[in-house]
Coordinates of all heavy atoms in Angstrom, one line a residue:
M1 N -103.9 -17.2 -42.0 CA -104.1 -16.1 -41.1 C -102.7 -16.0 -40.4 O -102.1 -16.8 -39.9 CB -105.1 -16.4 -40.1 CG -105.5 -15.1 -39.1 SD -106.4 -15.5 -37.8 CE -108.1 -15.1 -38.6
R2 N -102.1 -14.7 -40.2 CA -100.9 -14.5 -39.6 C -101.0 -14.6 -38.1 O -102.1 -14.5 -37.5 CB -100.4 -13.1 -39.8 CG -100.0 -12.7 -41.2 CD -99.6 -11.2 -41.4 NE -100.5 -10.4 -40.8 CZ -100.1 -9.3 -40.0 NH1 -98.8 -9.0 -40.1 NH2 -101.0 -8.5 -39.5
I3 N -99.9 -15.0 -37.4 CA -100.0 -15.2 -36.0 C -100.4 -14.0 -35.2 O -101.1 -14.0 -34.3 CB -98.4 -15.7 -35.4 CG1 -98.5 -16.0 -33.9 CG2 -97.4 -14.6 -35.7 CD1 -99.1 -17.4 -33.7
E4 N -99.9 -12.8 -35.7 CA -100.4 -11.5 -35.1 C -101.9 -11.4 -35.1 O -102.5 -10.9 -34.1 CB -99.8 -10.3 -35.8 CG -98.2 -10.1 -35.6 CD -97.5 -11.0 -36.5 OE1 -98.0 -11.7 -37.3 OE2 -96.2 -11.0 -36.3
D5 N -102.6 -11.9 -36.2 CA -103.9 -11.6 -36.4 C -104.6 -12.7 -35.5 O -105.7 -12.4 -34.8 CB -104.4 -12.1 -37.8 CG -103.9 -10.9 -38.8 OD1 -103.7 -9.8 -38.3 OD2 -103.6 -11.4 -40.0
K6 N -104.1 -14.0 -35.3 CA -104.6 -14.9 -34.4 C -104.5 -14.4 -32.9 O -105.5 -14.5 -32.1 CB -104.0 -16.2 -34.5 CG -104.3 -16.9 -35.8 CD -103.6 -18.3 -35.8 CE -104.2 -19.1 -37.0 NZ -103.7 -20.4 -37.1
L7 N -103.4 -13.8 -32.6 CA -103.2 -13.3 -31.2 C -104.2 -12.2 -31.0 O -104.7 -12.0 -29.8 CB -101.8 -12.9 -30.9 CG -100.7 -14.0 -30.8 CD1 -99.4 -13.3 -30.9 CD2 -100.9 -14.8 -29.8
Y8 N -104.5 -11.5 -31.9 CA -105.4 -10.3 -31.7 C -106.8 -10.8 -31.3 O -107.5 -10.0 -30.6 CB -105.5 -9.5 -33.0 CG -106.4 -8.3 -33.0 CD1 -106.1 -7.2 -32.3 CD2 -107.6 -8.3 -33.6 CE1 -106.7 -6.0 -31.9 CE2 -108.5 -7.1 -33.4 CZ -108.1 -6.1 -32.7 OH -108.8 -5.0 -32.6
L9 N -107.1 -12.1 -31.6 CA -108.4 -12.5 -31.1 C -108.5 -12.8 -29.7 O -109.6 -12.9 -29.1 CB -108.7 -13.9 -31.9 CG -108.8 -13.8 -33.5 CD1 -108.9 -15.1 -34.1 CD2 -110.1 -12.9 -33.8
N10 N -107.4 -13.0 -29.1 CA -107.4 -13.2 -27.6 C -107.8 -12.0 -26.8 O -107.6 -10.8 -27.2 CB -105.9 -13.7 -27.1 CG -105.6 -15.0 -27.7 OD1 -106.4 -15.9 -28.0 ND2 -104.3 -15.1 -28.1
R11 N -108.3 -12.3 -25.7 CA -108.8 -11.1 -24.8 C -108.1 -11.3 -23.4 O -107.9 -12.5 -23.0 CB -110.2 -11.2 -24.6 CG -111.1 -10.8 -25.9 CD -110.8 -9.4 -26.3 NE -111.3 -8.9 -27.5 CZ -110.6 -9.0 -28.7 NH1 -109.4 -9.4 -28.7 NH2 -111.2 -8.6 -29.8
Y12 N -107.7 -10.2 -22.7 CA -106.9 -10.5 -21.5 C -107.6 -9.6 -20.4 O -108.1 -8.5 -20.7 CB -105.5 -9.8 -21.8 CG -104.7 -10.5 -22.9 CD1 -104.9 -10.0 -24.2 CD2 -103.8 -11.5 -22.7 CE1 -104.2 -10.6 -25.2 CE2 -103.2 -12.1 -23.7 CZ -103.4 -11.6 -25.0 OH -102.7 -12.2 -26.0
R13 N -107.5 -10.1 -19.1 CA -107.9 -9.2 -18.1 C -106.6 -9.1 -17.3 O -106.2 -10.2 -16.6 CB -109.0 -9.9 -17.4 CG -109.6 -9.0 -16.3 CD -111.1 -9.2 -16.0 NE -111.6 -8.3 -15.1 CZ -111.8 -8.6 -13.8 NH1 -111.5 -9.8 -13.4 NH2 -112.1 -7.7 -13.0
T14 N -106.0 -8.0 -17.1 CA -104.9 -7.8 -16.5 C -104.9 -7.4 -15.1 O -105.6 -6.6 -14.7 CB -104.0 -6.7 -17.2 OG1 -104.0 -7.1 -18.7 CG2 -102.5 -6.7 -16.7
N15 N -104.1 -8.1 -14.3 CA -104.0 -7.7 -12.8 C -102.8 -6.8 -12.8 O -101.7 -7.2 -12.6 CB -103.8 -9.1 -12.0 CG -103.8 -8.7 -10.5 OD1 -103.6 -7.6 -10.1 ND2 -104.0 -9.7 -9.6
E16 N -103.0 -5.6 -12.6 CA -102.0 -4.6 -12.7 C -101.3 -4.5 -11.3 O -100.1 -4.0 -11.2 CB -102.5 -3.2 -13.1 CG -102.7 -3.1 -14.6 CD -103.5 -2.0 -15.1 OE1 -103.7 -1.0 -14.2 OE2 -104.0 -2.0 -16.3
K17 N -102.0 -4.9 -10.3 CA -101.3 -4.8 -8.9 C -100.4 -5.9 -8.7 O -99.4 -5.9 -8.0 CB -102.5 -4.9 -7.9 CG -103.2 -3.6 -7.8 CD -104.2 -3.5 -6.7 CE -105.1 -2.4 -6.7 NZ -106.4 -2.7 -6.2
E18 N -100.7 -7.1 -9.3 CA -99.9 -8.2 -9.1 C -99.6 -9.0 -10.3 O -100.3 -9.9 -10.7 CB -100.8 -9.2 -8.1 CG -100.0 -9.5 -6.9 CD -100.9 -10.4 -6.0 OE1 -101.9 -9.9 -5.5 OE2 -100.6 -11.6 -5.9
P19 N -98.4 -8.6 -11.0 CA -98.0 -9.3 -12.3 C -97.8 -10.8 -11.9 O -97.3 -11.1 -10.8 CB -96.7 -8.6 -12.6 CG -96.7 -7.4 -11.9 CD -97.5 -7.5 -10.7
H20 N -98.2 -11.6 -12.9 CA -98.1 -13.1 -12.7 C -96.7 -13.7 -13.0 O -96.5 -14.8 -12.7 CB -99.2 -13.9 -13.2 CG -99.1 -14.0 -14.8 ND1 -99.4 -12.9 -15.5 CD2 -98.7 -15.1 -15.6 CE1 -99.2 -13.3 -16.7 NE2 -98.8 -14.5 -16.8
L21 N -95.9 -12.9 -13.7 CA -94.5 -13.2 -13.9 C -93.6 -12.1 -13.6 O -93.9 -11.0 -14.1 CB -94.5 -14.0 -15.2 CG -94.8 -13.3 -16.6 CD1 -93.5 -13.1 -17.4 CD2 -95.9 -14.0 -17.3
K22 N -92.5 -12.5 -13.1 CA -91.4 -11.4 -12.8 C -90.0 -12.0 -13.0 O -89.9 -13.2 -12.8 CB -91.5 -11.0 -11.4 CG -92.8 -10.2 -11.0 CD -92.6 -9.8 -9.7 CE -93.7 -10.6 -8.8 NZ -94.0 -10.3 -7.5
I23 N -89.1 -11.1 -13.3 CA -87.8 -11.6 -13.4 C -87.1 -11.6 -12.0 O -87.4 -10.5 -11.2 CB -86.8 -10.6 -14.2 CG1 -87.3 -10.6 -15.6 CG2 -85.4 -11.0 -14.1 CD1 -87.2 -11.9 -16.4
I24 N -86.6 -12.6 -11.4 CA -86.1 -12.6 -10.1 C -84.9 -11.7 -9.9 O -84.8 -10.9 -8.9 CB -85.9 -14.1 -9.6 CG1 -87.1 -14.9 -9.7 CG2 -85.1 -14.1 -8.2 CD1 -86.8 -16.3 -9.6
D25 N -83.9 -11.8 -10.8 CA -82.7 -11.0 -10.6 C -82.3 -10.6 -12.1 O -81.8 -11.5 -12.9 CB -81.6 -11.9 -10.0 CG -80.3 -11.0 -9.7 OD1 -80.3 -9.9 -10.2 OD2 -79.5 -11.5 -9.0
E26 N -82.4 -9.4 -12.3 CA -81.9 -8.9 -13.8 C -80.5 -9.1 -14.0 O -80.0 -9.2 -15.2 CB -82.3 -7.5 -13.9 CG -83.9 -7.3 -14.1 CD -84.1 -6.1 -14.8 OE1 -83.3 -5.1 -14.9 OE2 -85.4 -6.0 -15.3
K27 N -79.7 -9.1 -12.9 CA -78.2 -9.3 -13.0 C -77.9 -10.7 -13.8 O -77.0 -10.9 -14.5 CB -77.4 -9.1 -11.8 CG -77.4 -7.8 -11.3 CD -76.3 -7.6 -10.2 CE -76.1 -6.1 -9.9 NZ -77.2 -5.6 -9.2
V28 N -78.7 -11.6 -13.4 CA -78.6 -13.0 -13.9 C -78.9 -12.9 -15.4 O -78.2 -13.6 -16.3 CB -79.6 -14.0 -13.2 CG1 -79.6 -15.4 -13.9 CG2 -79.2 -14.0 -11.8
C29 N -79.8 -12.2 -15.9 CA -80.2 -12.0 -17.3 C -79.0 -11.4 -18.1 O -78.8 -11.8 -19.2 CB -81.4 -11.1 -17.5 SG -82.9 -11.8 -16.8
E30 N -78.3 -10.6 -17.5 CA -77.1 -10.0 -18.2 C -76.1 -11.0 -18.6 O -75.7 -10.9 -19.8 CB -76.3 -9.0 -17.2 CG -77.0 -7.7 -17.1 CD -76.3 -6.8 -16.1 OE1 -75.0 -7.0 -15.9 OE2 -77.0 -5.9 -15.5
K31 N -75.9 -12.0 -17.8 CA -74.9 -13.1 -18.3 C -75.5 -14.2 -19.0 O -74.8 -15.1 -19.4 CB -74.1 -13.6 -17.0 CG -75.0 -14.3 -16.0 CD -74.1 -14.9 -14.9 CE -75.2 -15.7 -13.9 NZ -74.5 -16.2 -12.8
C32 N -76.8 -14.1 -19.2 CA -77.6 -15.3 -19.8 C -77.3 -15.3 -21.4 O -77.8 -14.4 -22.1 CB -79.0 -15.2 -19.4 SG -80.0 -16.6 -20.3
E33 N -76.5 -16.3 -21.9 CA -76.3 -16.3 -23.2 C -77.5 -16.7 -24.1 O -78.1 -17.8 -23.7 CB -75.2 -17.3 -23.5 CG -73.8 -16.6 -23.3 CD -72.7 -17.5 -23.8 OE1 -72.9 -18.1 -24.8 OE2 -71.5 -17.5 -23.1
G34 N -77.7 -16.0 -25.1 CA -78.8 -16.4 -26.0 C -80.3 -15.9 -25.5 O -81.1 -15.9 -26.2
K35 N -80.4 -15.7 -24.3 CA -81.7 -15.2 -23.7 C -82.9 -16.0 -24.3 O -83.6 -15.6 -25.0 CB -81.8 -13.8 -23.8 CG -80.7 -13.0 -23.1 CD -80.8 -11.6 -23.0 CE -79.8 -10.7 -22.4 NZ -78.4 -11.4 -22.3
P36 N -82.9 -17.3 -23.9 CA -83.9 -18.2 -24.6 C -85.4 -17.8 -24.3 O -86.3 -18.1 -25.1 CB -83.7 -19.5 -24.0 CG -82.8 -19.3 -22.8 CD -82.2 -18.1 -22.9
C37 N -85.6 -17.0 -23.2 CA -87.0 -16.6 -23.0 C -87.4 -15.6 -24.1 O -88.7 -15.8 -24.5 CB -87.1 -15.7 -21.6 SG -86.0 -14.4 -21.5
I38 N -86.6 -14.9 -24.6 CA -87.1 -14.0 -25.8 C -87.2 -14.8 -27.0 O -88.3 -14.4 -27.7 CB -85.9 -12.9 -26.0 CG1 -85.7 -12.0 -24.8 CG2 -86.2 -12.0 -27.2 CD1 -84.5 -11.0 -25.0
I39 N -86.4 -15.7 -27.3 CA -86.6 -16.5 -28.4 C -87.8 -17.4 -28.3 O -88.5 -17.6 -29.3 CB -85.3 -17.4 -28.7 CG1 -84.1 -16.5 -28.9 CG2 -85.6 -18.4 -29.8 CD1 -82.9 -17.2 -28.7
C40 N -88.0 -17.9 -27.2 CA -89.2 -19.1 -27.1 C -90.5 -18.4 -26.8 O -91.5 -19.1 -27.1 CB -88.8 -20.0 -26.1 SG -87.3 -20.9 -26.4
C41 N -90.6 -17.2 -26.4 CA -92.0 -16.6 -26.0 C -92.8 -16.3 -27.3 O -92.3 -15.5 -28.1 CB -91.9 -15.5 -25.3 SG -93.6 -14.7 -24.8
P42 N -94.0 -17.0 -27.5 CA -94.7 -16.8 -28.7 C -95.4 -15.4 -28.6 O -95.8 -14.9 -29.8 CB -95.7 -17.9 -28.8 CG -95.8 -18.3 -27.3 CD -94.5 -18.1 -26.7
A43 N -95.5 -14.7 -27.6 CA -96.2 -13.5 -27.5 C -95.2 -12.3 -27.4 O -95.7 -11.2 -27.0 CB -97.1 -13.6 -26.3
D44 N -94.0 -12.4 -27.6 CA -93.0 -11.4 -27.4 C -93.1 -10.7 -26.0 O -93.2 -9.4 -26.0 CB -93.2 -10.3 -28.5 CG -92.8 -11.0 -30.0 OD1 -91.9 -11.9 -29.9 OD2 -93.2 -10.5 -30.9
V45 N -93.3 -11.3 -25.0 CA -93.4 -10.7 -23.7 C -92.1 -10.1 -23.3 O -92.1 -9.0 -22.6 CB -94.0 -11.7 -22.7 CG1 -93.7 -11.3 -21.2 CG2 -95.4 -12.1 -23.0
Y46 N -90.9 -10.7 -23.5 CA -89.7 -10.3 -23.1 C -88.9 -9.4 -24.1 O -88.9 -9.8 -25.3 CB -88.8 -11.5 -22.7 CG -89.4 -12.3 -21.6 CD1 -90.2 -13.5 -22.0 CD2 -89.2 -12.0 -20.2 CE1 -90.8 -14.2 -21.0 CE2 -89.8 -12.8 -19.3 CZ -90.6 -13.9 -19.6 OH -91.2 -14.6 -18.7
E47 N -88.4 -8.3 -23.5 CA -87.6 -7.4 -24.5 C -86.4 -7.0 -23.6 O -86.5 -6.4 -22.7 CB -88.4 -6.3 -24.9 CG -87.9 -5.7 -26.1 CD -88.8 -4.6 -26.7 OE1 -90.0 -5.0 -26.9 OE2 -88.5 -3.5 -26.8
W48 N -85.2 -7.3 -24.2 CA -83.9 -6.8 -23.6 C -83.4 -5.6 -24.2 O -83.2 -5.4 -25.4 CB -82.9 -8.0 -23.7 CG -81.6 -7.7 -23.0 CD1 -80.5 -7.5 -23.7 CD2 -81.2 -7.6 -21.7 NE1 -79.4 -7.1 -22.7 CE2 -79.9 -7.3 -21.5 CE3 -82.0 -7.9 -20.5 CZ2 -79.2 -7.3 -20.3 CZ3 -81.3 -7.7 -19.3 CH2 -80.0 -7.5 -19.2
D49 N -83.2 -4.5 -23.4 CA -82.7 -3.3 -24.0 C -81.3 -3.0 -23.8 O -80.8 -2.0 -24.1 CB -83.5 -2.1 -23.4 CG -83.1 -1.8 -21.9 OD1 -82.3 -2.5 -21.4 OD2 -83.7 -1.0 -21.2
G50 N -80.6 -4.2 -23.5 CA -79.1 -4.0 -23.3 C -78.8 -3.8 -21.8 O -77.5 -4.1 -21.4
K51 N -79.7 -3.5 -21.0 CA -79.3 -3.3 -19.5 C -80.4 -4.0 -18.7 O -80.1 -4.5 -17.6 CB -79.3 -1.9 -19.2 CG -78.1 -1.1 -19.7 CD -78.1 0.3 -19.2 CE -77.1 1.1 -19.8 NZ -77.2 2.6 -19.8
S52 N -81.8 -4.0 -19.1 CA -82.7 -4.6 -18.4 C -83.7 -5.2 -19.2 O -83.8 -5.1 -20.4 CB -83.4 -3.5 -17.4 OG -84.0 -2.5 -18.3
M53 N -84.5 -6.1 -18.5 CA -85.4 -6.9 -19.3 C -86.9 -6.2 -19.0 O -87.3 -6.1 -17.9 CB -85.4 -8.3 -18.7 CG -86.3 -9.3 -19.4 SD -85.7 -9.6 -21.0 CE -84.6 -10.9 -20.7
E54 N -87.5 -6.0 -20.1 CA -88.9 -5.5 -20.0 C -89.7 -6.7 -20.1 O -89.6 -7.5 -21.0 CB -89.2 -4.4 -21.0 CG -90.5 -3.9 -20.9 CD -90.9 -2.9 -22.0 OE1 -90.1 -2.6 -22.8 OE2 -92.1 -2.5 -22.0
V55 N -90.6 -6.8 -19.2 CA -91.6 -8.0 -19.2 C -93.0 -7.4 -19.5 O -93.6 -6.9 -18.5 CB -91.5 -8.8 -17.9 CG1 -92.4 -10.0 -17.9 CG2 -90.1 -9.2 -17.5
K56 N -93.6 -7.6 -20.7 CA -95.0 -7.2 -21.0 C -95.9 -8.3 -20.7 O -96.5 -8.9 -21.6 CB -94.9 -6.8 -22.4 CG -94.1 -5.5 -22.7 CD -93.9 -5.2 -24.1 CE -92.7 -6.1 -24.7 NZ -92.6 -5.9 -26.2
Y57 N -96.0 -8.5 -19.3 CA -96.8 -9.7 -18.9 C -98.3 -9.7 -19.4 O -98.9 -10.7 -19.4 CB -96.7 -9.8 -17.4 CG -97.3 -8.7 -16.6 CD1 -98.7 -8.9 -16.2 CD2 -96.7 -7.5 -16.4 CE1 -99.3 -8.0 -15.5 CE2 -97.4 -6.5 -15.8 CZ -98.8 -6.8 -15.3 OH -99.5 -5.7 -14.7
E58 N -98.7 -8.4 -19.7 CA -100.2 -8.3 -20.0 C -100.5 -9.2 -21.3 O -101.6 -9.7 -21.5 CB -100.5 -6.9 -20.4 CG -100.2 -5.9 -19.4 CD -98.7 -5.4 -19.4 OE1 -97.9 -5.9 -20.1 OE2 -98.4 -4.2 -18.9
G59 N -99.4 -9.5 -22.1 CA -99.7 -10.3 -23.3 C -99.5 -11.8 -23.1 O -99.6 -12.5 -24.2
C60 N -99.2 -12.2 -22.0 CA -98.7 -13.6 -21.8 C -99.9 -14.6 -22.0 O -101.1 -14.3 -21.8 CB -98.4 -13.7 -20.4 SG -98.1 -15.5 -19.9
L61 N -99.5 -15.6 -22.7 CA -100.6 -16.6 -23.2 C -100.6 -17.8 -22.3 O -101.3 -18.7 -22.5 CB -100.2 -17.2 -24.6 CG -99.9 -16.3 -25.7 CD1 -99.4 -16.9 -27.0 CD2 -101.3 -15.6 -26.1
E62 N -99.8 -17.7 -21.1 CA -99.9 -18.7 -20.1 C -99.5 -20.1 -20.5 O -99.9 -21.1 -20.0 CB -101.1 -18.6 -19.4 CG -101.6 -17.3 -18.7 CD -102.9 -17.3 -18.2 OE1 -103.5 -18.3 -17.9 OE2 -103.5 -16.2 -18.2
C63 N -98.5 -20.2 -21.6 CA -98.1 -21.4 -22.0 C -97.0 -22.1 -21.0 O -96.8 -23.2 -21.1 CB -97.5 -21.3 -23.5 SG -96.0 -20.4 -23.6
G64 N -96.3 -21.2 -20.4 CA -95.3 -21.8 -19.4 C -93.9 -22.1 -20.0 O -93.0 -22.6 -19.4
T65 N -93.7 -21.8 -21.4 CA -92.5 -22.1 -22.0 C -91.3 -21.5 -21.3 O -90.2 -22.0 -21.2 CB -92.6 -21.7 -23.4 OG1 -93.7 -22.4 -23.9 CG2 -91.3 -22.2 -24.1
C66 N -91.4 -20.1 -21.0 CA -90.3 -19.2 -20.5 C -89.9 -20.0 -19.2 O -88.6 -20.1 -19.0 CB -90.7 -17.9 -20.4 SG -92.2 -17.6 -19.3
R67 N -90.7 -20.4 -18.4 CA -90.3 -21.0 -17.2 C -89.4 -22.2 -17.3 O -88.5 -22.5 -16.6 CB -91.5 -21.3 -16.4 CG -91.5 -22.0 -15.1 CD -92.7 -22.1 -14.3 NE -93.8 -22.7 -14.9 CZ -94.9 -23.0 -14.3 NH1 -95.0 -22.9 -13.1 NH2 -95.8 -23.7 -15.1
V68 N -89.8 -23.0 -18.4 CA -89.1 -24.2 -18.7 C -87.7 -24.0 -19.3 O -86.7 -24.6 -19.0 CB -89.9 -25.1 -19.6 CG1 -89.2 -26.3 -20.0 CG2 -91.3 -25.4 -19.0
V69 N -87.6 -22.9 -20.2 CA -86.4 -22.7 -21.0 C -85.3 -22.0 -20.3 O -84.1 -21.9 -20.6 CB -86.6 -22.1 -22.4 CG1 -87.6 -23.0 -23.2 CG2 -87.2 -20.8 -22.2
C70 N -85.7 -21.1 -19.2 CA -84.8 -20.2 -18.5 C -83.7 -21.2 -17.9 O -84.1 -21.9 -16.8 CB -85.5 -19.3 -17.5 SG -84.4 -18.4 -16.6
P71 N -82.5 -21.1 -18.2 CA -81.5 -22.0 -17.7 C -81.1 -21.7 -16.2 O -80.6 -22.4 -15.5 CB -80.2 -21.8 -18.5 CG -80.5 -20.4 -19.2 CD -81.9 -20.2 -19.3
Y72 N -81.5 -20.4 -15.6 CA -81.1 -20.1 -14.3 C -82.4 -20.0 -13.4 O -82.3 -19.6 -12.3 CB -80.6 -18.7 -14.3 CG -79.3 -18.6 -15.1 CD1 -79.3 -18.1 -16.5 CD2 -78.1 -19.0 -14.7 CE1 -78.1 -18.1 -17.2 CE2 -77.0 -19.0 -15.3 CZ -76.9 -18.6 -16.6 OH -75.7 -18.5 -17.3
K73 N -83.5 -20.6 -13.9 CA -84.8 -20.6 -13.0 C -85.0 -19.1 -12.6 O -85.2 -19.0 -11.4 CB -84.8 -21.6 -12.0 CG -84.5 -23.0 -12.5 CD -85.7 -23.6 -13.2 CE -85.3 -25.0 -13.9 NZ -85.6 -25.0 -15.2
N74 N -84.9 -18.2 -13.3 CA -84.8 -16.9 -13.0 C -86.2 -16.0 -13.2 O -86.2 -14.8 -13.2 CB -83.8 -16.1 -13.8 CG -83.4 -14.8 -13.1 OD1 -83.6 -14.5 -12.0 ND2 -83.0 -13.7 -14.0
I75 N -87.3 -16.8 -13.5 CA -88.5 -16.3 -13.6 C -89.5 -16.8 -12.7 O -89.6 -18.0 -12.5 CB -89.1 -16.7 -15.1 CG1 -88.2 -16.2 -16.2 CG2 -90.4 -16.0 -15.3 CD1 -88.5 -16.6 -17.6
D76 N -90.1 -15.8 -11.9 CA -91.0 -16.2 -10.9 C -92.4 -16.1 -11.6 O -93.0 -15.1 -12.0 CB -91.0 -15.0 -9.8 CG -92.1 -15.3 -8.8 OD1 -92.7 -16.4 -8.7 OD2 -92.3 -14.4 -7.9
W77 N -93.0 -17.3 -11.8 CA -94.2 -17.5 -12.7 C -95.3 -18.1 -12.0 O -95.0 -19.3 -11.4 CB -93.7 -18.3 -13.8 CG -94.6 -18.3 -15.1 CD1 -94.3 -17.8 -16.3 CD2 -95.8 -19.0 -15.3 NE1 -95.4 -17.9 -17.2 CE2 -96.2 -18.7 -16.6 CE3 -96.7 -19.8 -14.5 CZ2 -97.4 -19.2 -17.1 CZ3 -97.9 -20.3 -14.9 CH2 -98.3 -20.1 -16.3
N78 N -96.5 -17.6 -11.9 CA -97.6 -18.3 -11.4 C -98.8 -18.1 -12.3 O -98.8 -17.1 -12.9 CB -97.9 -17.5 -10.0 CG -96.8 -17.8 -9.0 OD1 -96.5 -18.9 -8.4 ND2 -95.9 -16.8 -8.8
Y79 N -99.8 -18.9 -12.2 CA -100.9 -18.7 -13.0 C -101.7 -17.4 -12.4 O -101.6 -17.2 -11.2 CB -101.9 -19.8 -13.0 CG -101.6 -20.9 -13.9 CD1 -101.1 -22.1 -13.4 CD2 -101.7 -20.7 -15.3 CE1 -100.8 -23.1 -14.4 CE2 -101.4 -21.7 -16.2 CZ -100.9 -22.9 -15.8 OH -100.5 -23.9 -16.6
P80 N -102.2 -16.6 -13.2 CA -102.9 -15.5 -12.8 C -104.0 -15.8 -11.8 O -104.6 -16.9 -11.9 CB -103.5 -14.7 -14.1 CG -102.7 -15.3 -15.0 CD -102.3 -16.6 -14.7
K81 N -104.4 -14.9 -10.9 CA -105.4 -15.2 -9.9 C -106.7 -15.4 -10.7 O -106.9 -14.8 -11.7 CB -105.5 -14.1 -8.8 CG -104.4 -14.2 -7.8 CD -104.6 -13.2 -6.8 CE -103.6 -13.5 -5.7 NZ -103.5 -12.5 -4.7
G82 N -107.7 -15.9 -10.0 CA -109.0 -16.1 -10.7 C -109.6 -14.8 -11.2 O -109.4 -13.8 -10.7
N83 N -110.1 -15.0 -12.3 CA -110.8 -13.9 -13.1 C -109.7 -13.0 -13.9 O -110.2 -12.2 -14.6 CB -111.6 -13.0 -12.3 CG -112.8 -13.7 -11.9 OD1 -113.4 -14.5 -12.6 ND2 -113.3 -13.3 -10.7
Y84 N -108.5 -13.3 -13.6 CA -107.4 -12.6 -14.5 C -106.8 -13.5 -15.5 O -106.8 -14.7 -15.4 CB -106.3 -11.9 -13.5 CG -106.9 -10.8 -12.6 CD1 -107.2 -11.1 -11.3 CD2 -107.1 -9.6 -13.2 CE1 -107.5 -10.0 -10.4 CE2 -107.7 -8.6 -12.4 CZ -107.8 -8.9 -11.1 OH -108.3 -7.7 -10.4
G85 N -106.1 -12.9 -16.4 CA -105.4 -13.7 -17.4 C -106.0 -13.5 -18.8 O -106.8 -12.8 -19.1
I86 N -105.6 -14.6 -19.5 CA -106.0 -14.6 -20.9 C -107.3 -15.4 -21.0 O -107.7 -16.3 -20.3 CB -105.0 -15.3 -21.8 CG1 -105.4 -15.2 -23.3 CG2 -104.8 -16.8 -21.4 CD1 -104.3 -15.5 -24.2
L87 N -108.2 -14.9 -22.0 CA -109.4 -15.6 -22.4 C -109.2 -16.0 -23.9 O -109.2 -15.1 -24.7 CB -110.6 -14.5 -22.2 CG -112.0 -15.1 -22.6 CD1 -112.5 -16.1 -21.8 CD2 -112.9 -13.9 -22.8
Y88 N -109.2 -17.2 -24.1 CA -109.1 -17.8 -25.4 C -110.4 -17.8 -26.1 O -111.4 -18.5 -25.6 CB -108.5 -19.2 -25.5 CG -107.0 -19.3 -25.2 CD1 -106.6 -19.7 -23.9 CD2 -106.0 -18.7 -26.1 CE1 -105.2 -19.7 -23.6 CE2 -104.8 -18.8 -25.7 CZ -104.4 -19.2 -24.5 OH -103.0 -19.3 -24.2
K89 N -110.6 -17.2 -27.2 CA -112.0 -16.9 -27.8 C -112.2 -18.1 -28.6 O -113.3 -18.7 -28.7 CB -111.9 -15.7 -28.7 CG -113.1 -14.9 -28.7 CD -112.9 -13.6 -29.3 CE -114.3 -13.0 -29.6 NZ -114.1 -11.8 -30.4
F90 N -111.1 -18.8 -29.3 CA -111.3 -20.0 -30.1 C -110.4 -21.0 -29.7 O -109.6 -21.4 -30.5 CB -111.2 -19.7 -31.7 CG -112.0 -18.6 -32.0 CD1 -111.6 -17.3 -32.5 CD2 -113.5 -18.8 -32.2 CE1 -112.4 -16.3 -32.9 CE2 -114.3 -17.7 -32.7 CZ -113.8 -16.5 -33.0
G91 N -110.3 -21.4 -28.4 CA -109.4 -22.4 -28.1 C -109.7 -23.2 -27.0 O -110.7 -23.0 -26.2
Ligands
SF4_101 S1 -83.8 -17.0 -19.9 FE1 -84.0 -16.5 -17.8 S2 -81.9 -15.6 -17.2 FE2 -82.0 -15.8 -19.4 S3 -82.5 -13.7 -20.0 FE3 -84.5 -14.9 -19.9 S4 -85.1 -14.6 -17.8 FE4 -83.1 -13.9 -17.9
SF4_102 S1 -95.8 -18.1 -20.4 FE1 -95.6 -18.3 -22.6 S2 -96.6 -16.5 -23.4 FE2 -96.3 -16.3 -21.2 S3 -94.4 -15.0 -21.1 FE3 -93.9 -17.3 -20.9 S4 -93.3 -18.1 -22.8 FE4 -94.4 -16.0 -23.2

């Protein structure tokens, strides 16, 4: 089974008022070489358009990897509030 098919099995309840992860300062991302958050995120949450970072937090798997790999500690990351976030169907 492809990774995309496996991810499709997950269900999410999104808190649109209060995203659980945010970029603290996009200017810092501009100078960040390699942008490891993009490379390491298994859910393709981060997308750099050349000027700004789009954060599609709705698809986050809550693995915490981006928080660890960001060399500038530039991600404000918290677990989603109760009843929000990912629901693993088979995990
Ligand atoms: S790793 Fe951190 S500083 Fe680098 S692009 Fe991602 S969020 Fe920005
Ligand atoms: S916690 Fe994991 S899935 Fe969520 S954005 Fe960070 S690396 Fe991606």
Side-chain angles (χ1 to χ4, degrees):
M1 189 187 265
R2 294 179 314 145
I3 185 80
E4 290 82 4
D5 296 329
K6 288 188 175 182
L7 289 172
Y8 182 71
L9 296 173
N10 296 327
R11 293 291 172 264
Y12 305 84
R13 188 151 184 262
T14 307
N15 185 345
E16 285 166 13
K17 287 186 188 149
E18 235 178 289
H20 70 287
L21 60 118
K22 290 180 255 189
I23 299 295
I24 296 168
D25 183 355
E26 286 203 344
K27 288 200 173 71
V28 173
C29 297
E30 278 176 29
K31 67 174 180 181
C32 176
E33 276 188 39
K35 301 189 178 22
C37 59
I38 297 174
I39 296 163
C40 296
C41 176
D44 289 335
V45 165
Y46 298 95
E47 203 175 302
W48 180 252
D49 70 2
K51 286 184 186 156
S52 62
M53 185 69 83
E54 187 184 353
V55 182
K56 294 170 277 181
Y57 69 94
E58 302 90 340
C60 176
L61 304 172
E62 297 168 30
C63 68
T65 307
C66 54
R67 177 168 60 167
V68 175
V69 299
C70 176
Y72 298 99
K73 305 287 175 240
N74 194 30
I75 301 171
D76 180 10
W77 197 109
N78 297 284
Y79 278 110
K81 285 191 172 168
N83 292 329
Y84 289 107
I86 190 165
L87 174 72
Y88 288 105
K89 224 170 166 186
F90 303 111

